[in-house]
Amino acid sequence: RFLSYSEDNLGYVPELKDLGDLGKEFFEEYLEYLEHYKENGRERTNSRISLKRKLSSLRRFFGYLFEEGLIASDQVRRVKIPKTHKKEIIRLERGEAKDLLSAVEYGKELTKKERDYHRLQAVRDMAVVILLLSTGIRVSECAELDTDDVDLDRRMIKIIRKGGDESTVFFSDEAADRLSDWMEQRKNICHDNAEKALFLSSRNRRLTVRSIQYLVKKYASRSVPLKHITPHKLRATYATELYNGTGDIYLVAEVLGHKDVATTKEHYAHLSEDRKQKSRNIVAYED
């Protein structure tokens, strides 16, 4: 596409040595062209993310040519990378989280067939959802939990983070109550000591990541139908609630298992409007 554009605008196909004569404005106009153009009679467009990716490719290519002495100048590096707008993080408000938990506990809005299944799995499902909401662990970390990883007395679980690091995560008293209920029920339904998984399917096998994703989606679609809620959104909900409650971004990063606090700032910890409003008079200069 770049060579075709160059030929159309220069009137000739540039040779390798000619590429070093192209100025910064040429590349800026090329990016502007890529936003909306026609090719073979069809209209084409590129998003900001696509433009950023294409510019990065050009930068690498021209940087290589310049370092190898194949062109006299590299003007692509002077072109500013297009800014991309961050996606809004979808999470549950406090009331929505309560609605979700209520749906899990009572099976509201479920079909008759789903209610029959719900009566058998409600205790387990409640333990899964409240654990995700009160710890912010990843769905994979939840699925990999064994019974030996849970310490109800100390209100903590042992998980394996991304990269293989072992970590200890503490959960709330309400989560402890729900986990206790499930672990009691689990003793009555699982007589196979070989299965160590904390959360079991109806066949007494480890609950998979896909199964946890499905059960969260099932209850959320009935209780919070206007939001697409996944286990990852429950992680974002927990992180935001924890940050709004403590104001400690480093604590949130540590609890989530982020090695770089910048990741936490970018993806999870969003100040609520209420918190921002309450902070308006913190810095004051007149008595």
Side-chain angles (χ1 to χ4, degrees), residues 100-263:
L100 171 62
L101 292 173
S102 180
V104 178
E105 185 165 18
Y106 301 110
K108 295 179 180 179
E109 306 299 328
L110 297 180
T111 65
K112 183 181 182 304
K113 183 177 180 180
E114 287 174 334
R115 284 198 300 272
D116 291 339
Y117 186 76
H118 173 263
R119 280 190 283 272
L120 300 173
Q121 302 295 352
V123 175
R124 180 205 66 186
D125 292 354
M126 191 67 177
V128 169
V129 175
I130 195 67
L131 185 64
L132 292 171
L133 272 173
S134 69
T135 61
I137 60 174
R138 297 178 177 89
V139 62
S140 59
E141 295 164 349
C142 182
E144 291 166 4
L145 282 170
D146 291 335
T147 54
D148 294 342
D149 296 327
V150 183
D151 188 333
L152 286 173
D153 293 332
R154 298 171 66 187
R155 305 292 198 261
M156 69 181 204
I157 53 175
K158 180 177 64 179
I159 62 174
I160 304 298
R161 294 288 194 190
K162 280 170 127 182
D165 295 333
E166 186 176 289
S167 179
T168 297
V169 176
F170 294 89
F171 50 82
S172 65
D173 290 342
E174 59 182 346
D177 292 338
R178 300 297 184 171
L179 280 169
S180 179
D181 291 342
W182 163 243
M183 293 180 79
E184 279 300 314
Q185 186 180 95
R186 186 187 182 284
K187 292 177 184 177
N188 298 325
I189 63 176
C190 182
H191 305 289
D192 182 2
N193 293 327
E195 182 54 79
K196 299 296 184 181
L198 173 61
F199 295 118
L200 302 174
S201 69
S202 57
R203 297 184 178 183
N204 289 348
R205 294 292 179 262
R206 182 181 297 274
L207 205 60
T208 65
V209 167
R210 185 180 294 274
S211 296
I212 296 175
Q213 290 171 334
Y214 172 76
L215 78 85
V216 169
K217 178 182 178 181
K218 178 178 67 175
Y219 294 115
S221 65
R222 314 301 165 81
S223 56
V224 197
L226 298 182
K227 289 185 177 180
H228 177 61
I229 299 301
T230 64
H232 192 72
K233 303 300 190 302
L234 301 187
R235 178 171 163 85
T237 298
Y238 169 77
T240 304
E241 287 291 329
L242 182 61
Y243 181 58
N244 284 335
T246 65
D248 190 339
I249 192 67
Y250 294 96
L251 172 64
V252 178
E254 184 176 351
V255 171
L256 291 180
H258 289 163
K259 294 183 179 180
D260 186 353
V261 73
T263 303

